[in-house]
Amino acid sequence: MASHGRRFLPEPVAAKVPEITLAFWVIKLLTTAGGEATSDYLALGSHLTGAAVETGLLVIGLIWQFRVRRYTAAAYWFLAFAIAIFGTGVSDTLHLTVGIPYAGTTLLWAVVLAGIFIVWYRSERTLSIHSIITRRREAFYWATVFATFALGTALGDFTATTLGLGYLSSVVLFFVIIMVPAIAWRGFGLNAVIAFWSAYVVTRPLGASVADYVSKSKSLSGVGFGDGRTALIAAVAVALGVAYLAITRGDIQDPAEPAASGPGARAGDAGRQQSRVIRPR
């Protein structure tokens, strides 16, 4: 069984996540916006059908991403988009169906995210994206991504509705917040790994707030463009961005970096990420 599992989900031979460039942040924001709008659009019809579609996309994305042995732009971003959709659906279900208030779901996902980070670091002694060169680290990475999407959905709805800020004010709020780790990293020497994950977490409520502002009706403080059209435009934009990355290959991590794990490799993770994260090439 173990041998069969290794053949079906082989160990990576190179880094499984992209280098952090400006294009990464642009596409990440587009996937967060697209995931929010797509999940909301699917929820307009049959909830069972919507859940089946979201789950199906997630399963396809997980199999595709974990089957490839090195970073591939199409596989990576397909799974990121699928998780954006699924994470939104799960977070909204906890609020709309289970009845947990947005403050509660925000706290819940914050605790889940913190727990994943703690377990990941205790297991691997690094949270660097330049260390994602084993299946186990990749699993931790994608679990973190899922938690950030679910948390961002709840947090964006919390600020927009519970706090009464509306979607546009939430966009401004999260834009200001996301600049804090970037400025702290560049100007004040904030640890690059902390800076990256802080910015990564905030991209979700920022992107989700943008999507809600564009798609929701004016009575809900939105523009009223519609969930379906917003989702379609975001998906096309992501596809174009991924096609650009696949052609230029500018987001592939340096193959010269060691692919081995262990104390020596772990010790170098933070240094490599300090010099590369957030700053585009």
Side-chain angles (χ1 to χ4, degrees):
M1 288 294 292
S3 176
H4 177 73
R6 285 193 293 270
R7 288 197 300 270
F8 183 69
L9 299 175
E11 284 287 342
V13 295
K16 292 294 299 291
V17 301
E19 184 57 272
I20 306 307
T21 65
L22 178 60
F24 172 88
W25 292 113
V26 171
I27 298 176
K28 174 62 167 61
L29 283 168
L30 287 170
T31 61
T32 63
E36 177 78 13
T38 302
S39 181
D40 287 349
Y41 177 73
L42 291 172
L44 295 175
S46 167
H47 290 291
L48 183 60
T49 300
V53 171
E54 293 182 6
T55 303
L57 291 172
L58 178 65
V59 171
I60 292 171
L62 286 169
I63 293 175
W64 188 5
Q65 171 64 18
F66 278 82
R67 284 279 291 166
V68 297
R69 303 192 69 186
R70 64 183 72 240
Y71 165 72
T72 303
Y76 176 91
W77 288 110
F78 183 94
L79 178 54
F81 209 133
I83 290 178
I85 298 170
F86 186 80
T88 300
V90 171
S91 186
D92 286 345
T93 297
L94 289 177
H95 173 72
L96 298 174
T97 303
V98 180
I100 303 175
Y102 287 129
T105 54
T106 299
L107 178 60
L108 169 65
W109 291 115
V111 171
V112 170
L113 178 61
I116 294 172
F117 275 135
I118 291 171
V119 174
W120 181 0
Y121 188 78
R122 285 183 174 178
S123 171
E124 304 299 313
R125 308 307 299 175
T126 178
L127 301 177
S128 169
I129 62 156
H130 294 106
S131 71
I132 312 301
I133 41 78
T134 68
R135 242 190 304 164
R136 184 166 61 182
R137 292 181 181 183
E138 186 179 12
F140 279 125
Y141 176 86
W142 287 111
T144 302
V145 171
F146 169 77
T148 63
F149 277 120
L151 170 61
T153 298
L155 182 57
D157 288 333
F158 174 72
T159 59
T161 59
T162 304
L163 297 184
L165 296 181
Y167 296 121
L168 182 57
S169 295
S170 293
V171 171
V172 175
L173 171 65
F174 291 120
F175 179 78
V176 171
I177 292 175
I178 202 173
M179 296 306 297
V180 172
I183 294 172
W185 166 76
R186 184 174 289 275
F188 300 95
L190 177 66
N191 177 272
V193 176
I194 296 175
F196 168 77
W197 283 115
S198 298
Y200 191 96
V201 169
V202 182
T203 57
R204 175 53 179 176
L206 174 59
S209 296
V210 170
D212 284 336
Y213 174 67
V214 172
S215 65
K216 302 307 180 189
S217 66
K218 294 181 180 180
S219 63
L220 297 174
S221 78
V223 174
F225 193 66
D227 293 322
R229 286 186 289 182
T230 302
L232 179 60
I233 291 174
V236 171
V238 169
L240 291 174
V242 172
Y244 168 79
L245 293 178
I247 293 171
T248 62
R249 299 175 64 83
D251 61 333
I252 297 178
Q253 292 189 29
D254 186 356
E257 292 189 6
S261 58
R266 291 169 180 170
D269 286 339
R272 287 195 297 277
Q273 187 143 324
Q274 180 69 37
S275 66
R276 303 170 74 172
V277 73
I278 295 182
R279 182 183 64 203
R281 284 181 172 177

